[in-house]
Amino acid sequence: MLFADARPAQHQGVILTDAARFSVDDTDALVAASFACPYCLRTPTHATFNLDEPNGSAVSCRCDECQGSWVVAVNVGQAMRLAIAPPEGLELEPA
């Protein structure tokens, strides 16, 4: 799929669903990079971790710098890694 303009609109809720790409034994830096803003590559300002999904979880992210919002799906193992040993530099808020 091609996008003419990948920048989010000002003050508009843009949701991009992605899947986390890290192993449970990866370093904190690699785990945190899975949640980087897809528009400006910054660490999300807000990251809300939802553990209520039956086959994994989701992290809803927001970047105040570029006004972007996105969701990153995590599998069961990744969700356990985030719950037990969250990466340094990524502030996860419970849903």
Side-chain angles (χ1 to χ4, degrees):
M1 185 166 28
L2 297 175
F3 295 91
D5 188 357
R7 292 175 296 162
Q10 288 290 327
H11 307 290
Q12 186 175 359
V14 176
I15 301 291
L16 173 67
T17 303
D18 197 2
R21 292 174 184 86
F22 67 88
S23 297
V24 296
D25 58 349
D26 280 343
T27 64
D28 283 358
L30 288 175
V31 175
S34 292
F35 300 97
C37 178
Y39 306 106
C40 68
L41 300 178
R42 289 182 175 90
T43 300
T45 309
H46 305 283
T48 305
F49 187 26
N50 181 358
L51 285 169
D52 292 338
E53 298 295 322
N55 296 318
S57 297
V59 179
S60 176
C61 302
R62 173 121 180 103
C63 178
D64 287 346
E65 286 292 322
C66 70
Q67 305 296 315
S69 296
W70 65 100
V71 174
V72 180
V74 294
N75 64 33
V76 175
Q78 292 168 329
M80 288 178 63
R81 163 68 156 88
L82 293 174
I84 294 169
E88 246 182 74
L90 181 66
E91 299 297 323
L92 292 169
E93 305 165 9

